[in-house]
Amino acid sequence: MFLDSDLLMSALRALTPILLAALGGAICERAGVFNIGLEGMMLMGCFTSVATSWFTGSPWLGVLAAALAAAAYSLILAVGAVTLRGDAVVLGVAMNLLAVGLTGFLLRTVFGVQGTFDDPSLAGLPLVGGFTPLTYLSWAAVAVATVMLSRHVWGLRLRGVGQAPDAAATLGVSPAGYKYGAILLSGVLCGLAGAQLALGNVTLFTENMTAGRGWIAVVAVMLGRAAPVGVLLAALLFGLAEAAGFRLQGLGLPQQATDAAPYVVTLGALFLTTARRRRRIRPSGAAS
């Protein structure tokens, strides 16, 4: 049977890193910063978590180091886009490319290997009910983000900064401070996503192991319209596509075809969403 509980469990495991990164992107989006550097932040979290876990023997120190490293890496976007008023899209693309080269260089420098570092002594995250604690944390983060963005004063001010920064400034709110906070928080969440990917889903590091998951997280933000629940549903769609790809590979389909499954779903979802929006806009344009 193709659809069974094992497929759902696999989808939920694949969902976690995408969901954590997408929540970070959604928070940035609400602050008025289009963050496409999620891929690079995740990759930095992957390498840092593996390196720290291997040297210390503690996966939890690896998780903490990943969150801190990705947050520090996110300062490139914060300083460049907020303080220096650079183009956030250009900065995000540069961060993604830099992370690929930097982690590849560190892999050779720190571990003396190329391609993949896989050691039996590398400690991974424990499983509770078939999932790592970071999986449960990602679900809780959806609820917390929903309440914070809709009820809490910090979330309301963050949305105000994203929609009308000048008006927010006249009320004594610092747009730069809230944007910095949103970008740093997205870095923390991407670091956790990288730790989940490298120490939870697998227990190794390989060059460019995020393999486009950060870009899928960006699409999840767009499809979910930066709403935590919407982001969760979009990320779940991609998690199911990835799990289905692995299942089809086990049934004999070529690996290249099954690896493309999440990206085919991404393109299809973007196409359907764009077509729906155009249908909504067309009547109003015709009426005017």
Side-chain angles (χ1 to χ4, degrees):
M1 184 176 179
F2 187 81
L3 297 174
D4 54 22
S5 59
D6 290 338
L7 180 68
L8 179 59
M9 293 282 285
S10 179
L12 292 176
R13 284 191 290 269
L15 157 76
T16 302
I18 297 174
L19 176 58
L20 286 168
L23 286 174
I27 291 171
C28 283
E29 183 74 17
R30 289 301 182 96
V33 179
F34 185 44
N35 186 355
I36 64 170
L38 304 177
E39 177 91 356
M41 297 178 195
M42 283 180 66
L43 192 55
M44 293 299 295
C46 289
F47 179 82
T48 306
S49 64
V50 167
T52 305
S53 178
W54 189 72
F55 280 112
T56 65
S58 171
W60 294 115
L61 287 177
V63 171
L64 177 61
L68 294 176
Y73 193 66
S74 72
L75 285 173
I76 297 175
L77 178 62
V79 173
V82 180
T83 302
L84 302 179
R85 300 182 182 277
D87 190 312
V89 174
V90 174
L91 286 166
V93 172
M95 289 173 65
N96 293 336
L97 296 175
L98 175 61
V100 173
L102 182 58
T103 53
F105 170 77
L106 291 174
L107 182 63
R108 295 167 177 79
T109 303
V110 175
F111 297 113
V113 298
Q114 293 184 1
T116 301
F117 173 73
D118 184 8
D119 193 289
S121 63
L122 180 62
L125 291 170
L127 296 179
V128 180
F131 304 107
T132 70
L134 290 181
T135 298
Y136 300 108
L137 177 64
S138 68
W139 301 342
V142 173
V144 171
T146 300
V147 174
M148 290 290 291
L149 291 173
S150 61
R151 303 279 184 176
H152 196 273
V153 62
W154 184 87
L156 296 175
R157 288 177 177 176
L158 183 74
R159 292 167 58 187
V161 165
Q163 295 172 4
D166 293 336
T170 61
L171 298 175
V173 177
S174 171
Y178 273 83
K179 289 183 178 183
Y180 260 80
I183 294 172
L184 286 171
L185 183 54
S186 75
V188 170
L189 290 170
C190 286
L192 296 178
Q196 167 66 25
L197 185 60
L199 296 180
N201 290 11
V202 294
T203 311
L204 55 83
F205 177 81
T206 186
E207 292 187 50
N208 196 26
M209 70 180 299
T210 47
R213 288 177 177 85
W215 293 104
I216 291 178
V218 172
V219 175
V221 174
M222 298 168 63
L223 293 180
R225 298 188 177 182
V229 175
V231 166
L232 169 62
L233 295 176
L236 180 59
L237 173 65
F238 301 131
L240 285 169
E242 183 173 338
F246 288 132
R247 177 64 60 87
L248 292 172
Q249 185 177 336
L251 295 177
L253 266 71
Q255 179 182 351
Q256 293 80 3
T258 57
D259 287 346
Y263 310 104
V264 172
V265 171
T266 300
L267 291 174
L270 281 175
F271 174 80
L272 292 175
T273 302
T274 302
R276 181 182 299 178
R277 289 178 180 175
R278 286 181 176 177
R279 282 198 300 267
R280 290 177 179 176
I281 294 173
R282 192 173 300 166
S284 61
S288 62

